[in-house]
């Protein structure tokens, strides 16, 4: 079925098509390239066509992170448009994060006008010369799955449908489309398009049955299997089969620096973060969507162990060097692969007594670890500056089933127990700092009825272009609680320098160049400047009440809030 609509330009046809393809939001940060888009929106609003809703975002890092955050919650890709070369340059950190997180985004940029003549949209300013590049796509080509310049309005539908389908095909990721001003500004009277996309994403694929059987045999016979997962939770449906697999052979699950709730963290078989010391003794290691499951030079697996790699791309072909063994590679949807493994193991059967014994041992280890985490928080309760474990435990107590927690170095993750997919998210393996503020706003846009709490390090906060985030929170009515863990330092940088030279001069003299921040900085006032609630907290006894006050601001007063926690 085709649909015909009246339009004024290719730009208007483009926005009509995006709406028809289910795009909810158009995150934009414009410049001289946006003229046709601005005009097209005015035309559509006059016809009461409101979608995709335009969200002006005053920095590209925030715009891309918002799109990322919206998609991680909903699974639906959105559109970001930035300004020609400078906008693309500013956005790249976010695109790198989305790329390594396999988050689909239709990332677009204006392309400075190509022509110098009389065409609508052709060059009319000096900026159009200096903002031209020979190959704009080359700026992001390594971080997108496909890039193209829209050459002609006639190609619009095929190009957009293909961009969206490629972006969502697994492994998913951003695509890049440049939009020259003359092409967007070209006059058009009507636009006829197919009501259904011309093509659909390739996903929900599975390994061949023979490979499933081979892996199932190995798992059924395993004496000491462990599983390491990082990002399977990108597909919330993968949790149930993962639990079934862990339970059927009593296999502990380690969540290595994970960005999602992959596995219920209160489950007896949840074994914590890094698998470290357990790697060398395991006879079977299952790696699920984890690009760096252990540190090869510290805790390599035994030569006799069988490594099963389950992922959309189990050899992580986008990473130039990565020599982790993969004895059985199971490419495809982890949700389907793992469910098939469970069925196959059921057919084969397991040693029930051994499985039960293993389960009891791992449950005891789980309990011991939780008790140690609690003890750590308790021991820190009166410390000043405020202790991170204590603070995190207090925060965790005040999150409820209606909360979404977004974290980027701002909390001690061992103090939280998230069980349900979608309750917590963390940053991309690419580690491009500055992700969380925008991602939290995107999560709030996706779930307006939920309380979104975003905990960031003071370094991460600054990388997140806070003014842009607070302005957007205010303008779009997205009340988020921002928590800045203000330790006055880039601790990660200091720690990595210390690990590299534990007996070096820096360690001996306690001299850490390039790591200091200003702990006196009044982060809360940046939020107040946008009408938000802001509070500096340096007394550990005040922590519970301060969290309550900030949550009240967000939940009841419906305004953003920021707690500046003076931590150590
Ligand atoms: C865009 C970007 N620049 C630099 C880095 C390197 N880096 C990694 S962690 C870190 C410090 C983060 O500081 P903060 O958020 O305060 O957390 P802390 O280290 O104190 O735990 C930096 C600068 C990075 N990952 N991304």
């Amino acid at each position: 079925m085709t649909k015909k609509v009246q339009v004024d330009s290719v730009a208007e046809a483009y926005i009509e098509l995006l709406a028809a393809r289910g795009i909810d939001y158009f995150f934009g940060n414009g410049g001289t390239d946006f003229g046709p888009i601005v005009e097209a929106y005015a035309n559509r609003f006059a016809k009461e066509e409101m979608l995709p809703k335009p969200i002006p975002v005053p920095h590209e890092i925030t715009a891309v992170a918002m799109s990322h955050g919206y998609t991680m919650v909903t699974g639906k890709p959105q559109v970001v448009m930035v300004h020609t070369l400078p906008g693309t340059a500013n956005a790249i950190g976010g695109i790198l994060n989305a790329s390594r997180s396999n988050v689909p985004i239709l990332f677009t940029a204006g392309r400075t006008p190509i022509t110098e003549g009389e065409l609508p949209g052709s060059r009319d300013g000096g900026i159009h010369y200096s903002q031209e590049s020979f190959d704009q796509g080359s700026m992001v080509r390594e971080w997108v799955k496909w890039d193209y310049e829209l050459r002609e309005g006639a190609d619009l539908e095929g190009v957009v449908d293909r961009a969206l389908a490629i972006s969502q095909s697994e492994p998913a990721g951003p695509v890049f489309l440049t939009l020259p001003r003359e092409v967007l500004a070209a006059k058009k009277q009507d636009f006829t398009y197919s009501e259904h996309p011309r093509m659909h994403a390739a996903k929900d694929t599975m390994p061949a049955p023979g490979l499933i059987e081979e892996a199932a045999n190995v798992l059924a016979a395993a004496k000491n299997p462990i599983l390491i997962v990082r990002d399977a939770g990108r597909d919330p449906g993968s949790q149930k089969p993962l639990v079934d697999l862990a339970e059927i052979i009593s296999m502990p699950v380690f969540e290595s620096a994970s960005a999602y709730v992959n596995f219920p963290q209160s489950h007896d078989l949840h074994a914590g973060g890094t698998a470290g010391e357990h790697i060398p003794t395991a006879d079977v290691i299952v790696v699920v969507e984890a690009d760096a499951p252990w540190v090869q030079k510290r805790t390599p697996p035994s030569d006799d162990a069988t490594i099963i790699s389950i992922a959309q791309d189990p050899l992580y072909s986008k990473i130039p060097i990565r020599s982790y063994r993969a004895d059985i590679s199971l490419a495809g949807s982890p949700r389907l692969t793992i469910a098939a493994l469970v069925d196959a193991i059921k057919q084969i059967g397991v040693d029930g007594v051994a499985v039960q014994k293993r389960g009891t041992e791992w449950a005891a280890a789980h309990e011991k670890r939780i008790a140690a985490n609690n003890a750590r928080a308790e021991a820190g309760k009166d410390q000043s500056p405020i202790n991170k474990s204590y603070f995190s435990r207090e925060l965790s107590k005040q999150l409820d089933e209606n909360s979404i927690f977004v974290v980027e170095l701002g909390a001690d993750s061992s103090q939280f127990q998230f069980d349900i997919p979608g309750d917590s998210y963390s940053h991309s393996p690419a580690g491009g700092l500055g992700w969380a503020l925008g991602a939290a706003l995107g999560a709030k846009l996706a779930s307006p009825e939920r309380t979104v709490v975003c905990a960031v390090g003071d370094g991460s906060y600054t990388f997140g272009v806070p003014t842009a985030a607070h302005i957007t929170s205010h303008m779009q009515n997205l009340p988020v609680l921002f928590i800045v863990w203000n330790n006055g330092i880039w601790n990660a940088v200091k720690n990595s320098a210390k690990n590299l030279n534990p007996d070096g001069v820096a360690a001996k003299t306690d001299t850490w160049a390039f790591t200091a921040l200003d702990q006196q900085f009044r982060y809360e006032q940046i939020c107040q400047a946008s009408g938000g609630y802001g509070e500096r907290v340096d007394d550990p006894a005040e922590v519970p009440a301060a969290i309550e006050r900030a949550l009240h601001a967000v939940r009841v007063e419906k305004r953003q809030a920021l707690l500046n926690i003076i931590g150590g």
Side-chain angles (χ1 to χ4, degrees):
M1 282 276 285
T2 59
K3 187 173 175 184
K4 185 173 178 180
V5 292
Q6 301 304 304
V7 293
D8 180 58
S9 65
V10 171
E12 198 182 335
Y14 172 56
I15 295 166
E16 165 77 19
L17 186 62
L18 294 177
R21 297 306 183 241
I23 304 293
D24 301 321
Y25 292 102
F26 185 123
F27 301 97
N29 186 298
T32 47
D33 44 357
F34 269 54
I37 297 283
V38 170
E39 185 66 13
Y41 262 110
N43 273 322
R44 284 178 62 81
F45 289 162
K47 294 179 214 163
E48 299 194 356
E49 298 283 3
M50 309 310 275
L51 294 176
K53 186 174 175 197
I55 306 278
V57 189
H59 198 284
E60 295 81 356
I61 280 289
T62 319
V64 175
M66 282 184 80
S67 183
H68 186 146
Y70 187 88
T71 303
M72 78 191 177
V73 172
T74 60
K76 293 171 69 182
Q78 302 301 307
V79 169
V80 177
M81 181 167 174
V82 299
H83 172 59
T84 65
L85 298 184
T88 305
N90 274 1
I92 289 177
I95 293 301
L96 175 57
N97 282 335
S99 171
R100 287 285 193 243
S101 291
N102 298 120
V103 167
I105 296 178
L106 176 50
F107 175 49
T108 70
R111 199 265 195 224
T112 209
I114 305 160
T115 58
E116 299 173 293
E118 298 303 317
L119 285 177
S122 69
R123 293 186 185 187
D124 55 11
I127 196 79
H128 295 145
Y129 291 82
S130 34
Q131 283 186 348
E132 186 178 19
S133 82
F134 287 102
D135 183 1
Q136 197 171 328
S138 69
M139 293 175 77
V140 292
R141 191 156 296 136
E142 188 168 349
W143 310 112
V144 297
K145 296 178 67 185
W146 168 94
D147 71 279
Y148 188 66
E149 176 179 298
L150 184 67
R151 310 265 163 82
E152 269 296 334
D155 288 339
L156 186 65
E157 186 182 348
V159 168
V160 168
D161 279 354
R162 186 144 181 265
L164 288 169
I166 291 175
S167 178
Q168 294 172 87
S169 289
E170 292 292 353
V175 292
F176 186 49
L177 180 64
T178 48
L179 300 162
R181 196 165 74 159
E182 299 92 326
V183 176
L184 288 181
K187 289 288 167 198
K188 199 169 168 63
Q189 285 173 347
D190 49 54
F191 175 47
T192 303
Y193 63 95
S194 159
E195 286 195 81
H196 298 290
R198 293 186 186 196
M199 58 199 91
H200 291 272
K203 45 188 179 184
D204 292 345
T205 54
M206 273 186 73
L211 279 174
I212 296 282
E213 205 182 315
E214 187 187 343
N217 277 318
V218 170
L219 285 165
K223 301 266 177 292
N224 189 18
I226 66 172
L227 186 146
I228 299 162
V229 57
R230 186 188 161 113
D231 281 351
R234 181 165 66 85
D235 174 359
S238 66
Q239 194 191 68
K240 162 91 173 61
L242 202 52
V243 170
D244 292 345
L245 178 63
E247 287 178 350
I248 198 172
I249 57 169
S250 289
M251 172 167 58
V253 173
F254 294 87
E255 285 190 293
S256 157
S258 99
Y260 300 91
V261 182
N262 300 289
F263 191 83
Q265 293 172 349
S266 65
H267 194 291
D268 282 350
L269 288 167
H270 189 267
T274 48
E277 63 189 275
H278 301 286
I279 301 280
T281 52
D283 64 342
V284 178
I285 304 178
V286 185
V287 177
V288 187
E289 294 288 4
D291 54 354
W294 57 81
V295 179
Q296 192 66 26
K297 73 176 174 188
R298 295 211 191 102
T299 53
S302 143
D303 286 346
D304 301 330
T306 304
I307 318 288
I308 301 173
S309 182
I310 300 176
Q312 298 285 2
D313 173 13
L315 298 182
Y316 303 86
S317 55
K318 290 282 160 46
I319 296 178
I321 182 157
R322 183 186 182 279
S323 312
Y324 291 90
R325 259 172 50 215
D327 301 306
I328 305 175
S329 292
L330 301 178
S333 150
R335 167 174 45 88
L336 300 176
T337 304
I338 296 170
L341 277 174
V342 173
D343 287 345
I345 294 170
K346 279 184 188 155
Q347 297 289 322
I348 297 162
V350 295
D351 175 348
V353 176
V355 165
Q356 198 179 10
K357 182 163 172 282
R358 224 164 36 223
T360 313
E361 285 165 8
W362 282 113
H366 174 89
E367 226 167 85
K368 202 166 147 200
R369 191 170 47 79
I370 300 293
N373 290 342
N374 284 339
R376 215 173 46 253
E378 194 55 28
K381 124 168 169 285
D382 301 319
Q383 277 173 18
S384 185
I386 295 167
N387 175 281
K388 200 171 191 176
S389 302
Y390 159 68
F391 173 79
S392 303
R393 184 187 64 178
E394 293 308 309
L395 177 61
S396 146
K397 283 184 196 163
Q398 294 200 42
L399 299 180
D400 60 20
E401 69 287 348
N402 197 36
S403 309
I404 297 180
F405 187 51
V406 178
V407 60
E408 186 174 42
L409 305 183
D412 171 359
S413 59
S414 72
Q415 298 299 326
F416 299 82
Q417 284 203 330
F418 294 107
D419 285 345
I420 298 175
D423 281 3
S424 171
Y425 298 94
S426 189
H427 55 87
S428 159
L433 292 182
W435 165 85
L437 305 184
L441 292 173
K444 182 69 183 170
L445 197 60
S447 315
E449 72 295 348
R450 295 186 72 175
T451 305
V452 178
V453 177
C454 170
V456 287
D458 43 358
S460 302
Y461 177 76
T462 309
F463 279 110
V465 199
T467 43
H470 291 301
I471 290 169
T472 307
S473 168
H474 179 67
M475 286 179 65
Q476 301 302 327
N477 193 20
L478 299 170
V480 166
L481 166 53
F482 299 101
I483 290 168
V484 179
W485 181 255
N486 179 359
N487 56 2
I489 190 168
W490 283 356
N491 223 7
V493 179
K494 175 182 164 184
N495 287 341
S496 110
K498 207 169 168 179
N499 285 340
L500 195 62
N501 289 304
D503 303 316
V505 181
K508 282 188 185 132
T509 58
D510 203 17
T511 308
W512 305 104
F514 301 112
T515 62
L517 290 174
D518 175 12
Q519 205 170 17
Q520 300 312 313
F521 191 84
R522 303 302 298 246
Y523 293 100
E524 70 281 12
Q525 292 180 0
I526 309 184
C527 181
Q528 287 166 348
S530 271
Y533 176 82
E535 184 176 342
R536 181 176 189 274
V537 187
D538 59 3
D539 176 0
E542 268 303 300
V543 163
I547 297 171
E548 238 169 79
R549 286 189 285 274
L551 282 172
H552 185 272
V554 168
R555 287 179 179 149
V556 182
E557 298 165 36
K558 306 280 181 213
R559 59 184 180 129
Q560 59 183 311
L562 187 148
L563 291 179
N564 173 11
I565 308 293
I566 310 303

